[in-house]
Each structure stands twice: as structure tokens, then as C-alpha cells.
Amino acid sequence: TEHRANTHTIKADLSDAAEVDNLADRLAALPEPIDVLVCAAGVGQRSLAAHTSYDAHDLIMRTNFDGHVRLTQRVLPSMLERGAGTIVAVSSVQGFFGQPGRSSYAASKAALVGYYDSLRAEVAADGLTVIVVAPGYIATAHAASAVGGDGASNASSESKGMDPSELARLIVDAMVRGGPSQLVCSQPSGRAAMFLRSLAPGLFFRLMASRA
């Protein structure tokens, strides 16, 4: 028997706390409980730390981190009450290392990793699943809409980026299987940088300095 799930589309700006609260209220009013929460909103960065205003940094943190945490905190109690639910946080391989021109972006993605790693441990005994996704390059207009950028796309990054639909499939597969808790969806360069930052930090820091 074919089953069609009800679909609800609600627009919200996750950088605005009031909009996040309004979104949470509207979600709570839906007849069905929230079984899966995917925190995927994000904005990129293309500016050196010394040239990034605090307002720009604040926008990145509110969009990439604070909004996700605020929404998670509103949805979490109902999941805990039911003893079921999946929360997916889309971070980045840059949540595990920083590179020139991405200081605030890397900070926001690292914050996601730390927060949801802690949350995973706290809710494991309650029957909830928490998955952190670490993509590499994705074939989107991420560079063109980045804070501090010039509005131009990055043809090189986009050409070697994973198709968004493929990333979505990998995330859905992980949700269905209940893991892995950390899903890395990156090109070899991103995976190598993650390992190098952990195993040979001095070498990694010299490489990043040469790129700057």
C-alpha cells in the first residue's frame, strides 16, 4: 500500500532567534510529532579574520550554530518524552580543522561537533540518535553566497563537489540505519586534512600557513 507522508513547508531565518521560536511553535502545533530533525542551514565565509567584522562573525555563528541549538532545544523535550527521535547536525570537515579565510566558519562547525557529540552521549540511554555529518565540497552556490566573498562562484570547488542529492541520500541512509554517529562525506583531501591535523599537527599548521 502506497503511503504518502504529509508535507509542511515553513520558511524561517535561523539566524533570528524570534523566527526560530516561531518555527518551533508552529512545528509543535502540527498533528504529527517530529521524528527527525535535520539541522542543515549554513552560510560560508571568504575573508581573513583580521578583515571580518564582528557583525559578520556573529551572523555566521547565529546561522550555523546558535539557530540549530535553539531549535534543537525546543524539539528535544518531545523526543525525550516519547523515547524516540533522530537529530542530524550538518557540520563540515572544517569542523575538525581550520584553514585561511574560514576562521568563523570553522569555529561554527567545530561548535556543532562539540555540542552534538555531548548531546549524543546525554540522550543515548533515552533512545535518541544523534548523527553529525561532515561534508567536504558540495556542488552548490555556497561560495557565491559566502560572507565576505565577492558573490562569485568557485568553479573548481563546485566541479569536484558532491552532488547535493547524493549527500542527501547518504544522510537518509544513515538515519534509517541509526548511524554512524559521525558521517564523513568528503573528497580525499578533506579526509586527509582531518587525519593530518590529528596525527601531525605541526606539519598541518605549516601547510595551512603556506596556503595563507
Side-chain angles (χ1 to χ4, degrees), residues 154-192:
N154 188 324
S156 175
S157 296
E158 291 179 19
S159 65
K160 63 183 176 183
M162 178 183 293
D163 188 282
S165 62
E166 174 63 12
L167 176 62
R169 185 190 66 78
L170 293 172
I171 293 174
V172 171
D173 287 347
M175 291 190 303
V176 171
R177 298 194 310 268
S181 297
Q182 179 174 294
L183 177 64
V184 179
C185 307
S186 174
Q187 293 73 27
S189 60
R191 294 176 181 271

PDB file of all heavy atoms in Angstrom, residues 154-192:
ATOM      1  N   ASN A 154      32.768  29.430  -7.076  1.00  0.00           N
ATOM      2  CA  ASN A 154      34.089  28.799  -7.130  1.00  0.00           C
ATOM      3  C   ASN A 154      33.968  27.589  -8.036  1.00  0.00           C
ATOM      4  O   ASN A 154      33.540  26.523  -7.614  1.00  0.00           O
ATOM      5  CB  ASN A 154      34.532  28.388  -5.723  1.00  0.00           C
ATOM      6  CG  ASN A 154      35.975  27.897  -5.707  1.00  0.00           C
ATOM      7  OD1 ASN A 154      36.435  27.249  -6.646  1.00  0.00           O
ATOM      8  ND2 ASN A 154      36.687  28.195  -4.631  1.00  0.00           N
ATOM      9  N   ALA A 155      34.329  27.781  -9.297  1.00  0.00           N
ATOM     10  CA  ALA A 155      34.131  26.726 -10.291  1.00  0.00           C
ATOM     11  C   ALA A 155      34.901  25.468  -9.940  1.00  0.00           C
ATOM     12  O   ALA A 155      34.423  24.350 -10.149  1.00  0.00           O
ATOM     13  CB  ALA A 155      34.550  27.229 -11.680  1.00  0.00           C
ATOM     14  N   SER A 156      36.114  25.630  -9.384  1.00  0.00           N
ATOM     15  CA  SER A 156      36.930  24.471  -9.037  1.00  0.00           C
ATOM     16  C   SER A 156      36.266  23.644  -7.948  1.00  0.00           C
ATOM     17  O   SER A 156      36.158  22.418  -8.053  1.00  0.00           O
ATOM     18  CB  SER A 156      38.314  24.933  -8.574  1.00  0.00           C
ATOM     19  OG  SER A 156      39.080  23.835  -8.121  1.00  0.00           O
ATOM     20  N   SER A 157      35.804  24.312  -6.886  1.00  0.00           N
ATOM     21  CA  SER A 157      35.156  23.607  -5.777  1.00  0.00           C
ATOM     22  C   SER A 157      33.867  22.948  -6.230  1.00  0.00           C
ATOM     23  O   SER A 157      33.559  21.810  -5.854  1.00  0.00           O
ATOM     24  CB  SER A 157      34.877  24.579  -4.625  1.00  0.00           C
ATOM     25  OG  SER A 157      36.084  25.081  -4.096  1.00  0.00           O
ATOM     26  N   GLU A 158      33.088  23.670  -7.042  1.00  0.00           N
ATOM     27  CA  GLU A 158      31.813  23.138  -7.491  1.00  0.00           C
ATOM     28  C   GLU A 158      32.006  21.947  -8.426  1.00  0.00           C
ATOM     29  O   GLU A 158      31.233  20.985  -8.389  1.00  0.00           O
ATOM     30  CB  GLU A 158      31.000  24.238  -8.175  1.00  0.00           C
ATOM     31  CG  GLU A 158      30.522  25.324  -7.209  1.00  0.00           C
ATOM     32  CD  GLU A 158      29.741  26.411  -7.911  1.00  0.00           C
ATOM     33  OE1 GLU A 158      29.264  26.174  -9.034  1.00  0.00           O
ATOM     34  OE2 GLU A 158      29.595  27.500  -7.329  1.00  0.00           O
ATOM     35  N   SER A 159      33.050  21.995  -9.261  1.00  0.00           N
ATOM     36  CA  SER A 159      33.250  20.915 -10.226  1.00  0.00           C
ATOM     37  C   SER A 159      33.642  19.613  -9.540  1.00  0.00           C
ATOM     38  O   SER A 159      33.298  18.531 -10.018  1.00  0.00           O
ATOM     39  CB  SER A 159      34.328  21.313 -11.246  1.00  0.00           C
ATOM     40  OG  SER A 159      35.587  21.468 -10.607  1.00  0.00           O
ATOM     41  N   LYS A 160      34.371  19.703  -8.425  1.00  0.00           N
ATOM     42  CA  LYS A 160      34.772  18.489  -7.721  1.00  0.00           C
ATOM     43  C   LYS A 160      33.871  18.200  -6.532  1.00  0.00           C
ATOM     44  O   LYS A 160      34.117  17.258  -5.781  1.00  0.00           O
ATOM     45  CB  LYS A 160      36.222  18.601  -7.254  1.00  0.00           C
ATOM     46  CG  LYS A 160      36.497  19.710  -6.256  1.00  0.00           C
ATOM     47  CD  LYS A 160      37.992  19.777  -5.931  1.00  0.00           C
ATOM     48  CE  LYS A 160      38.337  20.932  -4.998  1.00  0.00           C
ATOM     49  NZ  LYS A 160      39.777  21.035  -4.734  1.00  0.00           N
ATOM     50  N   GLY A 161      32.822  18.997  -6.368  1.00  0.00           N
ATOM     51  CA  GLY A 161      31.922  18.819  -5.234  1.00  0.00           C
ATOM     52  C   GLY A 161      30.948  17.671  -5.429  1.00  0.00           C
ATOM     53  O   GLY A 161      30.582  17.314  -6.555  1.00  0.00           O
ATOM     54  N   MET A 162      30.512  17.101  -4.323  1.00  0.00           N
ATOM     55  CA  MET A 162      29.494  16.044  -4.341  1.00  0.00           C
ATOM     56  C   MET A 162      28.141  16.643  -4.703  1.00  0.00           C
ATOM     57  O   MET A 162      27.804  17.756  -4.286  1.00  0.00           O
ATOM     58  CB  MET A 162      29.420  15.382  -2.958  1.00  0.00           C
ATOM     59  CG  MET A 162      28.356  14.291  -2.836  1.00  0.00           C
ATOM     60  SD  MET A 162      28.261  13.594  -1.159  1.00  0.00           S
ATOM     61  CE  MET A 162      29.853  12.764  -1.063  1.00  0.00           C
ATOM     62  N   ASP A 163      27.374  15.912  -5.480  1.00  0.00           N
ATOM     63  CA  ASP A 163      26.026  16.357  -5.810  1.00  0.00           C
ATOM     64  C   ASP A 163      25.181  16.406  -4.542  1.00  0.00           C
ATOM     65  O   ASP A 163      25.221  15.469  -3.739  1.00  0.00           O
ATOM     66  CB  ASP A 163      25.388  15.395  -6.821  1.00  0.00           C
ATOM     67  CG  ASP A 163      24.066  15.918  -7.346  1.00  0.00           C
ATOM     68  OD1 ASP A 163      23.060  15.802  -6.617  1.00  0.00           O
ATOM     69  OD2 ASP A 163      24.039  16.423  -8.473  1.00  0.00           O
ATOM     70  N   PRO A 164      24.428  17.490  -4.302  1.00  0.00           N
ATOM     71  CA  PRO A 164      23.622  17.593  -3.086  1.00  0.00           C
ATOM     72  C   PRO A 164      22.661  16.428  -2.892  1.00  0.00           C
ATOM     73  O   PRO A 164      22.412  16.002  -1.757  1.00  0.00           O
ATOM     74  CB  PRO A 164      22.867  18.914  -3.267  1.00  0.00           C
ATOM     75  CG  PRO A 164      23.703  19.714  -4.207  1.00  0.00           C
ATOM     76  CD  PRO A 164      24.334  18.710  -5.129  1.00  0.00           C
ATOM     77  N   SER A 165      22.121  15.894  -3.979  1.00  0.00           N
ATOM     78  CA  SER A 165      21.194  14.777  -3.862  1.00  0.00           C
ATOM     79  C   SER A 165      21.898  13.522  -3.352  1.00  0.00           C
ATOM     80  O   SER A 165      21.305  12.705  -2.633  1.00  0.00           O
ATOM     81  CB  SER A 165      20.514  14.489  -5.208  1.00  0.00           C
ATOM     82  OG  SER A 165      21.468  14.109  -6.183  1.00  0.00           O
ATOM     83  N   GLU A 166      23.175  13.360  -3.704  1.00  0.00           N
ATOM     84  CA  GLU A 166      23.949  12.221  -3.205  1.00  0.00           C
ATOM     85  C   GLU A 166      24.206  12.379  -1.703  1.00  0.00           C
ATOM     86  O   GLU A 166      24.107  11.403  -0.939  1.00  0.00           O
ATOM     87  CB  GLU A 166      25.268  12.114  -3.960  1.00  0.00           C
ATOM     88  CG  GLU A 166      26.231  11.047  -3.427  1.00  0.00           C
ATOM     89  CD  GLU A 166      25.707   9.628  -3.533  1.00  0.00           C
ATOM     90  OE1 GLU A 166      24.687   9.405  -4.228  1.00  0.00           O
ATOM     91  OE2 GLU A 166      26.319   8.726  -2.934  1.00  0.00           O
ATOM     92  N   LEU A 167      24.533  13.602  -1.283  1.00  0.00           N
ATOM     93  CA  LEU A 167      24.719  13.841   0.147  1.00  0.00           C
ATOM     94  C   LEU A 167      23.422  13.558   0.901  1.00  0.00           C
ATOM     95  O   LEU A 167      23.443  12.925   1.964  1.00  0.00           O
ATOM     96  CB  LEU A 167      25.158  15.282   0.387  1.00  0.00           C
ATOM     97  CG  LEU A 167      25.295  15.702   1.856  1.00  0.00           C
ATOM     98  CD1 LEU A 167      26.360  14.883   2.565  1.00  0.00           C
ATOM     99  CD2 LEU A 167      25.610  17.197   1.956  1.00  0.00           C
ATOM    100  N   ALA A 168      22.308  14.001   0.342  1.00  0.00           N
ATOM    101  CA  ALA A 168      21.012  13.756   0.989  1.00  0.00           C
ATOM    102  C   ALA A 168      20.743  12.255   1.120  1.00  0.00           C
ATOM    103  O   ALA A 168      20.252  11.791   2.152  1.00  0.00           O
ATOM    104  CB  ALA A 168      19.897  14.427   0.196  1.00  0.00           C
ATOM    105  N   ARG A 169      21.094  11.494   0.083  1.00  0.00           N
ATOM    106  CA  ARG A 169      20.875  10.048   0.131  1.00  0.00           C
ATOM    107  C   ARG A 169      21.718   9.409   1.227  1.00  0.00           C
ATOM    108  O   ARG A 169      21.240   8.533   1.964  1.00  0.00           O
ATOM    109  CB  ARG A 169      21.214   9.410  -1.226  1.00  0.00           C
ATOM    110  CG  ARG A 169      20.905   7.925  -1.298  1.00  0.00           C
ATOM    111  CD  ARG A 169      21.472   7.293  -2.552  1.00  0.00           C
ATOM    112  NE  ARG A 169      22.927   7.302  -2.570  1.00  0.00           N
ATOM    113  CZ  ARG A 169      23.685   6.442  -1.879  1.00  0.00           C
ATOM    114  NH1 ARG A 169      23.110   5.523  -1.106  1.00  0.00           N
ATOM    115  NH2 ARG A 169      24.995   6.510  -1.953  1.00  0.00           N
ATOM    116  N   LEU A 170      22.971   9.847   1.348  1.00  0.00           N
ATOM    117  CA  LEU A 170      23.847   9.299   2.381  1.00  0.00           C
ATOM    118  C   LEU A 170      23.318   9.620   3.779  1.00  0.00           C
ATOM    119  O   LEU A 170      23.386   8.785   4.688  1.00  0.00           O
ATOM    120  CB  LEU A 170      25.269   9.851   2.212  1.00  0.00           C
ATOM    121  CG  LEU A 170      26.023   9.403   0.965  1.00  0.00           C
ATOM    122  CD1 LEU A 170      27.338  10.166   0.825  1.00  0.00           C
ATOM    123  CD2 LEU A 170      26.277   7.900   0.988  1.00  0.00           C
ATOM    124  N   ILE A 171      22.792  10.825   3.941  1.00  0.00           N
ATOM    125  CA  ILE A 171      22.236  11.211   5.245  1.00  0.00           C
ATOM    126  C   ILE A 171      21.000  10.380   5.566  1.00  0.00           C
ATOM    127  O   ILE A 171      20.840   9.882   6.685  1.00  0.00           O
ATOM    128  CB  ILE A 171      21.911  12.716   5.267  1.00  0.00           C
ATOM    129  CG1 ILE A 171      23.205  13.538   5.191  1.00  0.00           C
ATOM    130  CG2 ILE A 171      21.130  13.085   6.530  1.00  0.00           C
ATOM    131  CD1 ILE A 171      22.985  15.029   5.062  1.00  0.00           C
ATOM    132  N   VAL A 172      20.118  10.215   4.581  1.00  0.00           N
ATOM    133  CA  VAL A 172      18.904   9.418   4.807  1.00  0.00           C
ATOM    134  C   VAL A 172      19.266   7.976   5.132  1.00  0.00           C
ATOM    135  O   VAL A 172      18.686   7.365   6.038  1.00  0.00           O
ATOM    136  CB  VAL A 172      17.974   9.489   3.578  1.00  0.00           C
ATOM    137  CG1 VAL A 172      16.831   8.485   3.720  1.00  0.00           C
ATOM    138  CG2 VAL A 172      17.410  10.898   3.424  1.00  0.00           C
ATOM    139  N   ASP A 173      20.231   7.417   4.412  1.00  0.00           N
ATOM    140  CA  ASP A 173      20.674   6.046   4.700  1.00  0.00           C
ATOM    141  C   ASP A 173      21.168   5.925   6.134  1.00  0.00           C
ATOM    142  O   ASP A 173      20.878   4.942   6.827  1.00  0.00           O
ATOM    143  CB  ASP A 173      21.784   5.630   3.734  1.00  0.00           C
ATOM    144  CG  ASP A 173      21.270   5.352   2.331  1.00  0.00           C
ATOM    145  OD1 ASP A 173      20.034   5.247   2.162  1.00  0.00           O
ATOM    146  OD2 ASP A 173      22.095   5.241   1.399  1.00  0.00           O
ATOM    147  N   ALA A 174      21.932   6.915   6.582  1.00  0.00           N
ATOM    148  CA  ALA A 174      22.441   6.892   7.954  1.00  0.00           C
ATOM    149  C   ALA A 174      21.305   6.991   8.962  1.00  0.00           C
ATOM    150  O   ALA A 174      21.308   6.307   9.997  1.00  0.00           O
ATOM    151  CB  ALA A 174      23.436   8.031   8.161  1.00  0.00           C
ATOM    152  N   MET A 175      20.315   7.803   8.665  1.00  0.00           N
ATOM    153  CA  MET A 175      19.168   7.929   9.566  1.00  0.00           C
ATOM    154  C   MET A 175      18.413   6.608   9.671  1.00  0.00           C
ATOM    155  O   MET A 175      18.010   6.197  10.764  1.00  0.00           O
ATOM    156  CB  MET A 175      18.238   9.050   9.091  1.00  0.00           C
ATOM    157  CG  MET A 175      18.821  10.441   9.234  1.00  0.00           C
ATOM    158  SD  MET A 175      17.624  11.772   8.929  1.00  0.00           S
ATOM    159  CE  MET A 175      17.067  11.389   7.281  1.00  0.00           C
ATOM    160  N   VAL A 176      18.231   5.957   8.531  1.00  0.00           N
ATOM    161  CA  VAL A 176      17.492   4.691   8.523  1.00  0.00           C
ATOM    162  C   VAL A 176      18.251   3.622   9.303  1.00  0.00           C
ATOM    163  O   VAL A 176      17.646   2.833  10.049  1.00  0.00           O
ATOM    164  CB  VAL A 176      17.251   4.228   7.065  1.00  0.00           C
ATOM    165  CG1 VAL A 176      16.689   2.812   7.041  1.00  0.00           C
ATOM    166  CG2 VAL A 176      16.295   5.189   6.356  1.00  0.00           C
ATOM    167  N   ARG A 177      19.574   3.602   9.157  1.00  0.00           N
ATOM    168  CA  ARG A 177      20.390   2.604   9.847  1.00  0.00           C
ATOM    169  C   ARG A 177      20.652   2.964  11.306  1.00  0.00           C
ATOM    170  O   ARG A 177      21.106   2.127  12.084  1.00  0.00           O
ATOM    171  CB  ARG A 177      21.738   2.430   9.140  1.00  0.00           C
ATOM    172  CG  ARG A 177      21.665   1.926   7.715  1.00  0.00           C
ATOM    173  CD  ARG A 177      23.041   1.467   7.231  1.00  0.00           C
ATOM    174  NE  ARG A 177      24.065   2.469   7.475  1.00  0.00           N
ATOM    175  CZ  ARG A 177      24.426   3.413   6.605  1.00  0.00           C
ATOM    176  NH1 ARG A 177      23.805   3.475   5.434  1.00  0.00           N
ATOM    177  NH2 ARG A 177      25.382   4.264   6.889  1.00  0.00           N
ATOM    178  N   GLY A 178      20.405   4.200  11.669  1.00  0.00           N
ATOM    179  CA  GLY A 178      20.715   4.641  13.020  1.00  0.00           C
ATOM    180  C   GLY A 178      22.178   4.958  13.226  1.00  0.00           C
ATOM    181  O   GLY A 178      22.692   4.942  14.337  1.00  0.00           O
ATOM    182  N   GLY A 179      22.884   5.297  12.171  1.00  0.00           N
ATOM    183  CA  GLY A 179      24.297   5.638  12.281  1.00  0.00           C
ATOM    184  C   GLY A 179      24.992   5.483  10.947  1.00  0.00           C
ATOM    185  O   GLY A 179      24.351   5.145   9.948  1.00  0.00           O
ATOM    186  N   PRO A 180      26.275   5.795  10.897  1.00  0.00           N
ATOM    187  CA  PRO A 180      27.188   6.026  12.011  1.00  0.00           C
ATOM    188  C   PRO A 180      26.950   7.348  12.715  1.00  0.00           C
ATOM    189  O   PRO A 180      26.314   8.245  12.163  1.00  0.00           O
ATOM    190  CB  PRO A 180      28.567   6.024  11.337  1.00  0.00           C
ATOM    191  CG  PRO A 180      28.285   6.541   9.954  1.00  0.00           C
ATOM    192  CD  PRO A 180      26.948   5.950   9.579  1.00  0.00           C
ATOM    193  N   SER A 181      27.470   7.453  13.923  1.00  0.00           N
ATOM    194  CA  SER A 181      27.293   8.682  14.689  1.00  0.00           C
ATOM    195  C   SER A 181      28.009   9.853  14.031  1.00  0.00           C
ATOM    196  O   SER A 181      27.577  10.994  14.163  1.00  0.00           O
ATOM    197  CB  SER A 181      27.817   8.487  16.116  1.00  0.00           C
ATOM    198  OG  SER A 181      27.077   7.486  16.785  1.00  0.00           O
ATOM    199  N   GLN A 182      29.103   9.587  13.347  1.00  0.00           N
ATOM    200  CA  GLN A 182      29.823  10.612  12.592  1.00  0.00           C
ATOM    201  C   GLN A 182      29.935  10.155  11.149  1.00  0.00           C
ATOM    202  O   GLN A 182      30.577   9.152  10.859  1.00  0.00           O
ATOM    203  CB  GLN A 182      31.207  10.856  13.185  1.00  0.00           C
ATOM    204  CG  GLN A 182      32.028  11.898  12.427  1.00  0.00           C
ATOM    205  CD  GLN A 182      33.332  12.223  13.133  1.00  0.00           C
ATOM    206  OE1 GLN A 182      33.325  12.788  14.222  1.00  0.00           O
ATOM    207  NE2 GLN A 182      34.456  11.857  12.535  1.00  0.00           N
ATOM    208  N   LEU A 183      29.298  10.894  10.254  1.00  0.00           N
ATOM    209  CA  LEU A 183      29.259  10.539   8.839  1.00  0.00           C
ATOM    210  C   LEU A 183      30.111  11.533   8.060  1.00  0.00           C
ATOM    211  O   LEU A 183      29.728  12.697   7.901  1.00  0.00           O
ATOM    212  CB  LEU A 183      27.810  10.561   8.339  1.00  0.00           C
ATOM    213  CG  LEU A 183      27.582  10.289   6.852  1.00  0.00           C
ATOM    214  CD1 LEU A 183      28.005   8.873   6.487  1.00  0.00           C
ATOM    215  CD2 LEU A 183      26.109  10.511   6.493  1.00  0.00           C
ATOM    216  N   VAL A 184      31.270  11.099   7.596  1.00  0.00           N
ATOM    217  CA  VAL A 184      32.164  11.956   6.822  1.00  0.00           C
ATOM    218  C   VAL A 184      31.890  11.728   5.339  1.00  0.00           C
ATOM    219  O   VAL A 184      32.039  10.611   4.841  1.00  0.00           O
ATOM    220  CB  VAL A 184      33.643  11.669   7.150  1.00  0.00           C
ATOM    221  CG1 VAL A 184      34.550  12.570   6.314  1.00  0.00           C
ATOM    222  CG2 VAL A 184      33.907  11.875   8.639  1.00  0.00           C
ATOM    223  N   CYS A 185      31.489  12.781   4.651  1.00  0.00           N
ATOM    224  CA  CYS A 185      31.172  12.698   3.220  1.00  0.00           C
ATOM    225  C   CYS A 185      32.074  13.700   2.500  1.00  0.00           C
ATOM    226  O   CYS A 185      31.647  14.795   2.150  1.00  0.00           O
ATOM    227  CB  CYS A 185      29.707  13.033   2.968  1.00  0.00           C
ATOM    228  SG  CYS A 185      28.527  12.095   3.952  1.00  0.00           S
ATOM    229  N   SER A 186      33.311  13.321   2.299  1.00  0.00           N
ATOM    230  CA  SER A 186      34.287  14.277   1.785  1.00  0.00           C
ATOM    231  C   SER A 186      35.169  13.666   0.717  1.00  0.00           C
ATOM    232  O   SER A 186      35.338  12.449   0.643  1.00  0.00           O
ATOM    233  CB  SER A 186      35.159  14.786   2.942  1.00  0.00           C
ATOM    234  OG  SER A 186      36.200  15.621   2.465  1.00  0.00           O
ATOM    235  N   GLN A 187      35.763  14.541  -0.070  1.00  0.00           N
ATOM    236  CA  GLN A 187      36.788  14.140  -1.013  1.00  0.00           C
ATOM    237  C   GLN A 187      38.033  13.718  -0.211  1.00  0.00           C
ATOM    238  O   GLN A 187      38.162  14.050   0.968  1.00  0.00           O
ATOM    239  CB  GLN A 187      37.133  15.308  -1.942  1.00  0.00           C
ATOM    240  CG  GLN A 187      36.011  15.716  -2.886  1.00  0.00           C
ATOM    241  CD  GLN A 187      34.879  16.451  -2.182  1.00  0.00           C
ATOM    242  OE1 GLN A 187      35.074  17.091  -1.159  1.00  0.00           O
ATOM    243  NE2 GLN A 187      33.687  16.357  -2.753  1.00  0.00           N
ATOM    244  N   PRO A 188      38.969  12.998  -0.842  1.00  0.00           N
ATOM    245  CA  PRO A 188      40.180  12.554  -0.123  1.00  0.00           C
ATOM    246  C   PRO A 188      40.944  13.695   0.540  1.00  0.00           C
ATOM    247  O   PRO A 188      41.523  13.515   1.615  1.00  0.00           O
ATOM    248  CB  PRO A 188      41.004  11.881  -1.218  1.00  0.00           C
ATOM    249  CG  PRO A 188      39.978  11.379  -2.196  1.00  0.00           C
ATOM    250  CD  PRO A 188      38.903  12.420  -2.205  1.00  0.00           C
ATOM    251  N   SER A 189      40.956  14.880  -0.063  1.00  0.00           N
ATOM    252  CA  SER A 189      41.712  15.998   0.512  1.00  0.00           C
ATOM    253  C   SER A 189      41.172  16.391   1.878  1.00  0.00           C
ATOM    254  O   SER A 189      41.945  16.687   2.802  1.00  0.00           O
ATOM    255  CB  SER A 189      41.676  17.197  -0.437  1.00  0.00           C
ATOM    256  OG  SER A 189      40.335  17.623  -0.661  1.00  0.00           O
ATOM    257  N   GLY A 190      39.854  16.401   2.027  1.00  0.00           N
ATOM    258  CA  GLY A 190      39.260  16.748   3.310  1.00  0.00           C
ATOM    259  C   GLY A 190      39.540  15.697   4.368  1.00  0.00           C
ATOM    260  O   GLY A 190      39.846  16.019   5.522  1.00  0.00           O
ATOM    261  N   ARG A 191      39.427  14.437   3.982  1.00  0.00           N
ATOM    262  CA  ARG A 191      39.729  13.345   4.919  1.00  0.00           C
ATOM    263  C   ARG A 191      41.197  13.383   5.338  1.00  0.00           C
ATOM    264  O   ARG A 191      41.535  13.177   6.509  1.00  0.00           O
ATOM    265  CB  ARG A 191      39.405  11.995   4.270  1.00  0.00           C
ATOM    266  CG  ARG A 191      37.917  11.780   3.991  1.00  0.00           C
ATOM    267  CD  ARG A 191      37.685  10.470   3.275  1.00  0.00           C
ATOM    268  NE  ARG A 191      36.287  10.258   2.967  1.00  0.00           N
ATOM    269  CZ  ARG A 191      35.420   9.665   3.766  1.00  0.00           C
ATOM    270  NH1 ARG A 191      35.820   9.207   4.940  1.00  0.00           N
ATOM    271  NH2 ARG A 191      34.159   9.503   3.401  1.00  0.00           N
ATOM    272  N   ALA A 192      42.072  13.667   4.369  1.00  0.00           N
ATOM    273  CA  ALA A 192      43.497  13.727   4.676  1.00  0.00           C
ATOM    274  C   ALA A 192      43.797  14.856   5.656  1.00  0.00           C
ATOM    275  O   ALA A 192      44.605  14.698   6.586  1.00  0.00           O
ATOM    276  CB  ALA A 192      44.302  13.908   3.392  1.00  0.00           C
TER     277      ALA A 192
END
